[in-house]
Amino acid sequence: MARPRGTTVSIGAHVDPETFGRFSETIARYFGTARFLAIQTVVVAAWIVLNITGFVRHWDPYPFILLNLLFSTQAAYAAPFILLAQNRQDERDRLSIERDRQVAARTQADTEFLARELA
């Protein structure tokens, strides 16, 4: 199949960057809460206790390779979400600083004008 030069083929679904950015900020914000840490601690403790004691069939015996895989997967997804959220915050900060700089410049110009008028 012939395609004109300069055209690209889109593979996959289109994802709205703003929607995905808000989603990543929500995830990153949740990862940084005491609630998340408490829930994760309880789940890990229960996982270890259930796999060490004889109450249930040991689906992940010591050294808990499946638990390590779950932690690795969580970290692999959490890191990009957190970085994306930080990048969005940096962009908001940069825009805010630029607006503050413009307001400060206008204020300085107004003050200098008033000083010249009074002199």
Side-chain angles (χ1 to χ4, degrees):
M1 175 156 100
R3 295 194 193 280
R5 289 185 186 171
T7 61
T8 59
V9 178
S10 177
I11 298 175
H14 173 71
V15 177
D16 180 32
E18 186 63 28
T19 302
F20 189 75
R22 284 192 305 269
F23 173 73
S24 68
E25 287 176 340
T26 302
I27 297 296
R29 196 174 299 120
Y30 178 69
F31 281 162
T33 63
R35 179 181 182 185
F36 171 76
L37 292 175
I39 291 171
Q40 185 173 13
T41 301
V42 167
V43 168
V44 169
W47 185 288
I48 291 171
V49 167
L50 289 173
N51 278 288
I52 289 177
T53 62
F55 298 127
V56 295
R57 186 177 146 288
H58 304 288
W59 70 88
D60 188 23
Y62 183 82
F64 311 118
I65 294 172
L66 184 57
L67 181 62
N68 284 318
L69 176 65
L70 292 175
F71 276 140
S72 298
T73 304
Q74 177 189 11
Y77 280 97
F81 283 138
I82 292 168
L83 288 173
L84 183 58
Q86 286 177 337
N87 289 340
R88 286 174 51 87
Q89 184 60 47
D90 288 344
E91 181 65 21
R92 281 193 298 268
D93 291 345
R94 186 187 64 74
L95 292 173
S96 177
I97 289 170
E98 182 60 34
R99 281 191 302 268
D100 290 347
R101 195 173 292 140
Q102 291 171 354
V103 168
R106 282 194 307 265
T107 303
Q108 182 179 3
D110 290 346
T111 304
E112 289 172 355
F113 173 76
L114 289 173
R116 282 192 304 273
E117 289 296 316
L118 288 174

